[in-house]
Amino acid sequence: MDTHTEQLSATNQLIDVMIVIDTDYVIDYIKNSPYTPSTDINTPVPLDHLNKYMIVPSTNAISGQATGDLHFRAKNGDIIRFRGTSLYQNSDAAVIVHNVTLLKAPDVFGGNPLYCMSVDRKQAVAADNTTQHGVPPLSKSITFSSLDVEVKDTGTGSYYIHFALYTLSSGDKQTLYSYCCWDPTITVV
């Protein structure tokens, strides 16, 4: 184990799991399946594992980086922060990850509840579209959200990751297209 990994394992960590969804693929998948879009949060449309990408910091990754099944290092007491976005960075079609539920044991979260958390950055950087390359950046107030849960155990569990998919309708309004889920395998060692 390298020194950086040893240092990380000495204290509890916040581990971000970025989930990127190819929303065009999901919409086409639903249109070509026996399912119809669901606006009922309790009956999400089940999806395959394609075109869903989970990414963790490289110091935590074991395998499956940028795939629909992820294996990563975490320990009891670490906080996992699930964050979601579309390939459009939520500017056209948008994604909100809203739940992670156990499909098949073991439950590495030990039944711990998930919490929607947010952090407001009052002076976050944003590209300046009045310049050719977007820099120097503008300073804007931006809220970043995550779905947080504490790790309770290690093992390989199967989960449902639930997300709401929104499409851009008239003008600038994003409206719910469907609640969706898929069942990735998540390993925590």
Side-chain angles (χ1 to χ4, degrees), residues 13 38 50 93-94 132 136:
Q13 298 180 62
S38 173
L50 302 176
Q132 181 179 2

Side-chain angles (χ1 to χ4, degrees), residues 53-168:
Y53 312 97
M54 294 188 290
I55 304 162
V56 294
S58 59
T59 53
N60 298 98
I62 296 171
S63 65
Q65 186 79 294
T67 69
D69 292 292
L70 182 63
H71 309 276
F72 62 93
R73 288 178 191 85
K75 66 182 182 318
N76 190 353
D78 286 349
I79 302 295
I80 307 301
R81 289 186 165 166
F82 292 97
R83 300 178 184 273
T85 189
S86 69
L87 286 176
Y88 298 106
Q89 196 178 357
N90 284 351
S91 66
D92 189 286
V95 168
I96 297 175
V97 175
H98 66 86
N99 204 359
V100 178
T101 57
L102 181 66
L103 171 63
K104 183 179 175 190
D107 181 6
V108 299
F109 306 125
N112 284 335
L114 289 99
Y115 296 97
C116 183
M117 304 296 287
S118 64
V119 60
D120 294 319
R121 297 287 182 231
K122 301 297 182 201
Q123 296 182 15
V125 294
D128 182 352
N129 65 359
T130 65
T131 67
Q132 181 179 2
H133 301 287
V135 289
L138 299 173
S139 180
K140 294 190 174 200
S141 180
I142 301 175
T143 300
F144 299 94
S145 298
S146 61
L147 192 63
D148 298 8
V149 64
E150 183 178 348
V151 173
K152 198 73 166 166
D153 204 354
T154 58
T156 299
S158 293
Y159 293 85
Y160 284 116
I161 294 184
H162 301 254
F163 63 92
L165 190 160
Y166 297 84
T167 54
L168 193 60

Side-chain angles (χ1 to χ4, degrees), residues 29-31 33-40 43-46 177-180:
Y29 178 88
I30 293 172
K31 286 179 180 176
S33 75
Y35 303 104
T36 57
S38 173
T39 56
D40 180 352
T43 57
V45 174
Y177 175 76
S178 184
Y179 288 104
C180 303

